[in-house]
Amino acid sequence: MELDEIECVGFILVFNKSYYEESIYKFDELIKLTTKKSLCIVISNNPNLQKPVDFDGAFLSGDNSSYEFSGWQKGLEHFMRRNHSKNVKAYIFANDTFCHHHKYNFVKRKMYADAFKKLIRNHEAPVLAGRITSFGQSFSINDVTLNEWVSTYIFGITQQAMRSIEYNICPRDKELEKYFGTMENEDCFFSDGMNSALKTHLTSWLFGGEGLKPPWYKSEPLNDINRDGFAKKSRSILREKLLTANVCKRGGKIQPITLPIYIRLINRIKFELLKSYSK
C-alpha cells in the first residue's frame, strides 16, 4: 500500500519486555480491523526490546524522556516526514498496557474498532475518542474547565482535531513549569497556579494520605530519591489532561468509548443476580 492511500495510522509505545510483542500484535490487529488502509508504527522506550520477526511495520527507538508522550510524538513526526498526511483521517495511540493492565477481549476489541471507525467517518470534525476518567470534581487547566478527560492508554483523534493542536501531543517541559512549585516538600510540589481541586487530587494520588480516591500503587511520601521521578510522572499526568483540554479549547468534541448497550445490560443483570444470591 502506498503511503498516500493510508487513512488511519496507529502508534503503540512499548516498554515491558514480558508482554510487548503480544501488545504489538493485538494493536496491529485492532488497527487493521478498523480499516484495511492502515499503518502501524511501534516506538520502543526500552533499548533492550527487539522488533518482532513477523511484524512488518516500522520499529522506532524512543528516549523515554516524557514516557509514552515523547515516544508518540517521535512516531508521529517520523510518519509526517514521510507523508504529508493528505488522506489520513484518524490517528490511534496506545501504550503496551492497553491489553494487559486493562481488560481486553473480543468485546473490547470490537468496541474500540467501532469507535475508531466512527472517527474515520467523522474525520472532518475535531474529535478526541477514548475511555473517560474523572476524580469526581471539576477542575481547570489551560483555561479550560473539565469534569472528566480521555485516558491515554488507548485513544483516537481525527485529522481535524490533530490539525487544531498543531500535531503536538507532547507539550514541552517548559510549558508545564507554571504548574510546579519549588518541590521542596509535598505542600509546595505543585504551584499555587495549579487549580486547587487538581492540586489536591494529584498531591494525594502521588504521596498518599487522605484524598479523593485511592492513591497510585507507587505512591509514597516525597523524598530526595523519588522527587525527580514524581516530577516526571506528574508531567505525564498533566499532558494527558492537557490533550483533552487543548482539543476542547479549539472547539473539539469528546467521543466517549463505551461498551455496547446490550453488553452493559447483560453485565447489569449479572450484577443484580449475584447480589440477590449473596443475600
Side-chain angles (χ1 to χ4, degrees), residues 78-186:
H78 167 87
F79 174 75
M80 296 291 289
R81 284 195 300 270
R82 289 157 177 76
N83 180 278
H84 296 296
S85 63
K86 296 175 182 177
N87 296 312
V88 175
K89 298 177 179 178
Y91 301 87
I92 313 300
F93 297 86
N95 63 43
D96 57 7
T97 70
F98 87 96
C99 57
H100 289 277
H101 295 179
H102 306 274
K103 187 176 181 180
Y104 189 80
N105 51 31
F106 73 95
V107 174
K108 288 289 184 70
R109 184 182 61 191
K110 186 178 187 307
M111 174 189 75
Y112 286 122
D114 288 347
F116 297 148
K117 287 176 183 177
K118 184 177 179 180
L119 275 187
I120 292 173
R121 292 195 301 270
N122 298 331
H123 67 277
E124 294 183 353
V127 181
L128 174 67
R131 300 289 275 174
I132 301 301
T133 302
S134 170
F135 59 77
Q137 289 188 18
S138 62
F139 64 95
S140 62
I141 186 169
N142 198 21
D143 300 320
V144 178
T145 299
L146 300 173
N147 296 306
E148 54 195 16
W149 66 93
V150 170
S151 290
T152 52
Y153 63 88
I154 182 167
F155 67 97
I157 183 169
T158 62
Q159 176 71 281
Q160 189 62 29
M162 189 66 90
R163 286 195 191 107
S164 76
I165 62 172
E166 300 178 339
Y167 299 89
N168 181 16
I169 59 172
C170 185
R172 295 174 300 174
D173 287 358
K174 188 174 181 179
E175 298 175 50
L176 305 178
E177 286 180 358
K178 61 183 178 181
Y179 298 112
F180 292 90
T182 63
M183 294 192 281
E184 293 177 356
N185 56 57
E186 295 174 9

Side-chain angles (χ1 to χ4, degrees), residues 270-279:
K270 288 167 61 178
F271 174 78
E272 293 297 335
L273 287 173
L274 288 172
K275 189 169 67 171
S276 64
Y277 286 138
S278 64
K279 289 182 179 179

Side-chain angles (χ1 to χ4, degrees), residues 230-275:
F230 277 167
K232 185 176 179 180
K233 180 65 177 178
S234 299
R235 293 186 190 101
S236 186
I237 294 169
L238 291 172
R239 287 185 175 100
E240 179 178 66
K241 292 169 176 58
L242 280 167
L243 177 63
T244 296
N246 290 339
V247 169
C248 291
K249 190 173 185 177
R250 292 160 177 81
K253 304 296 182 183
I254 303 304
Q255 175 190 311
I257 296 180
T258 59
L259 288 169
I261 189 169
Y262 68 91
I263 296 294
R264 283 180 279 160
L265 180 59
I266 291 172
N267 288 341
R268 181 64 183 177
I269 292 171
K270 288 167 61 178
F271 174 78
E272 293 297 335
L273 287 173
L274 288 172
K275 189 169 67 171

